Amino acid sequence: MPTVAILDYGTSNLRSVAKAVEHVAGKQQRVIVTADADKLRSADRLIFPGQGAIGQCMTSLQDSGLDEIVRESINNKPFLGICLGLQTLLDESAEDGGRKGLGIIPGKVKRFQPPPDGGYKIPHMGWNQVWQQQAHPLWQGIDDGARFYFVHSYYVAPDDNNVIAGSCDYIVDFTAAIARDNLFATQFHPEKSQKDGLKLLENFLNWKAD
């Protein structure tokens, strides 16, 4: 039976992600939550969820060697990053006084700057529309402009606009999803985004990535 692994790097609440993936997987795929290198390597798909601060996340990944597992997985299997699982893929982040990321996607992670006239709260928390910037199998069955759930104070700014798969408008027009080869990653939380979020997770489980 095909296996989808959810990366447990020790600093994220994985229960909601696991339950959502199990719901769409049914009996067709086995879902495991693990930090075991061998199990992660042998899994058919990998999900890198995340919430919290990038400094703690990167320290945990590097101390455990899971950063190399992420690099390997992106090269050889369908990979889904969620929230911090997206931000860590870039070169560097302004969070925690400035922190290096994995450098898989060239670019930076920036903090929202509130406009002088106010009207916006940070973190960006709640439902917002995501506009699809490229056709992709993970958007199948999801309307352009569908609403997804966000919780973040930082957003990714990739150097190459061609990797932007979805955008959102909050203070600035920012990247809400990226796609490259067998990698797809979202700033929003599909596991908290009801019908459309579950559909995206289902699409990931069925994705025949190159």
Side-chain angles (χ1 to χ4, degrees), residues 63-115:
D63 288 351
S64 62
L66 291 174
D67 56 333
E68 292 306 316
I69 298 293
V70 171
R71 295 178 196 280
E72 291 175 23
S73 297
I74 286 173
N75 287 330
N76 61 35
K77 67 185 67 174
F79 176 96
L80 176 65
I82 298 174
C83 195
L84 201 56
L86 161 63
Q87 294 183 6
T88 55
L89 301 179
L90 277 78
D91 292 323
E92 58 184 301
S93 173
E95 192 175 8
D96 290 335
R99 187 66 193 253
K100 294 291 186 184
L102 294 169
I104 294 166
I105 300 293
K108 297 180 179 181
V109 182
K110 302 179 178 181
R111 192 179 196 278
F112 283 119
Q113 299 299 322

Side-chain angles (χ1 to χ4, degrees), residues 132-144:
Q132 299 169 18
Q133 300 301 312
Q134 57 172 278
H136 194 279
L138 266 68
W139 293 136
Q140 183 178 351
I142 299 173
D143 290 339
D144 191 19

Side-chain angles (χ1 to χ4, degrees), residues 30-77:
R30 185 168 65 105
V31 181
I32 61 172
V33 179
T34 184
D36 182 271
D38 290 337
K39 292 180 179 179
L40 291 166
R41 285 192 174 99
S42 63
D44 299 282
R45 300 170 190 272
L46 180 65
I47 297 176
F48 179 5
Q51 59 187 38
I54 195 169
Q56 185 181 12
C57 176
M58 286 301 303
T59 296
S60 178
L61 290 174
Q62 291 166 346
D63 288 351
S64 62
L66 291 174
D67 56 333
E68 292 306 316
I69 298 293
V70 171
R71 295 178 196 280
E72 291 175 23
S73 297
I74 286 173
N75 287 330
N76 61 35
K77 67 185 67 174

Side-chain angles (χ1 to χ4, degrees), residues 1-36:
M1 178 183 294
T3 298
V4 54
I6 299 172
L7 180 69
D8 180 5
Y9 58 89
T11 59
S12 180
N13 179 7
L14 305 175
R15 185 171 182 271
S16 60
V17 177
K19 286 180 67 67
V21 177
E22 287 168 356
H23 176 77
V24 296
K27 296 181 180 179
Q28 305 305 310
Q29 297 194 48
R30 185 168 65 105
V31 181
I32 61 172
V33 179
T34 184
D36 182 271

Side-chain angles (χ1 to χ4, degrees), residues 153-206:
S153 299
Y154 295 80
Y155 63 94
V156 300
D159 291 346
D160 181 5
N161 288 338
N162 290 323
V163 304
I164 299 175
S167 65
C168 181
D169 184 14
Y170 189 83
I171 303 179
V172 296
D173 184 31
F174 70 90
T175 298
I178 64 170
R180 191 183 74 186
D181 301 327
N182 54 298
L183 177 159
F184 195 93
T186 67
Q187 183 60 66
F188 55 82
H189 288 267
E191 78 279 7
K192 298 179 180 179
S193 297
Q194 299 182 3
K195 175 178 68 72
D196 287 319
L198 290 176
K199 181 60 177 174
L200 188 143
L201 292 174
E202 179 185 353
N203 289 341
F204 173 69
L205 296 188
N206 294 324

